[in-house]
Amino acid sequence: VAREPPPQFVCPITHEVMDDPCLTADGQCYSREGIEMWMKARSPATSPATGLVLTSQTLTPNIALRQLIEQWREAHSGADGAAAAGGSDDLQVEGGGHGGAHAGGAVSASSRRALSGLTPADLLGGQLAGRY
């Protein structure tokens, strides 16, 4: 059984398995904390995927994806909780850790610093390439 999360479960901004996946006005999906941080850092708010200005900052919960992620986490919980949670060591969510149905908490200060300088081109050149 594969322990790596499907790429659709991983936020292209935070590079972590999403706890609260949300859709933006352009139909792209991100973790709520990641896209909120992205939009706060840019005026006007732009799409990380395209660089275009978002017509709305409304975030719509992606309930179906959240349920799939929860099912995947339950199926892969056990001895290697870090593998089931996915993500990278340099971008951690504070509060609650990994492995549960909900990591909770806010994005750490080091994550905010790491993400604040990213441009859509940075994301498209790396983690988003081939995903969307």
Side-chain angles (χ1 to χ4, degrees), residues 12-118:
I13 296 173
T14 65
H15 308 290
E16 301 229 357
V17 175
M18 295 181 273
D19 291 317
D20 187 7
C22 293
L23 295 167
T24 55
D26 63 352
Q28 300 297 321
C29 192
Y30 306 96
S31 67
R32 181 176 298 276
E33 60 268 8
I35 193 61
E36 285 178 346
M37 183 174 51
W38 178 274
M39 290 189 303
K40 284 179 186 177
R42 287 152 182 84
S43 182
T46 58
S47 167
T50 66
L52 300 175
V53 174
L54 293 170
T55 57
S56 170
Q57 291 188 30
T58 299
L59 299 176
T60 304
N62 191 333
I63 296 167
L65 181 58
R66 185 181 69 221
Q67 291 171 338
L68 289 172
I69 292 169
E70 288 171 356
Q71 290 172 1
W72 179 83
R73 280 189 166 140
E74 288 173 11
H76 293 87
S77 64
D80 193 5
S88 63
D89 291 337
D90 59 337
L91 295 173
Q92 299 294 320
V93 176
E94 296 173 344
H98 295 293
H102 179 70
V107 176
S108 69
S110 62
S111 296
R112 280 193 294 278
R113 284 191 299 276
L115 294 172
S116 65
L118 294 178

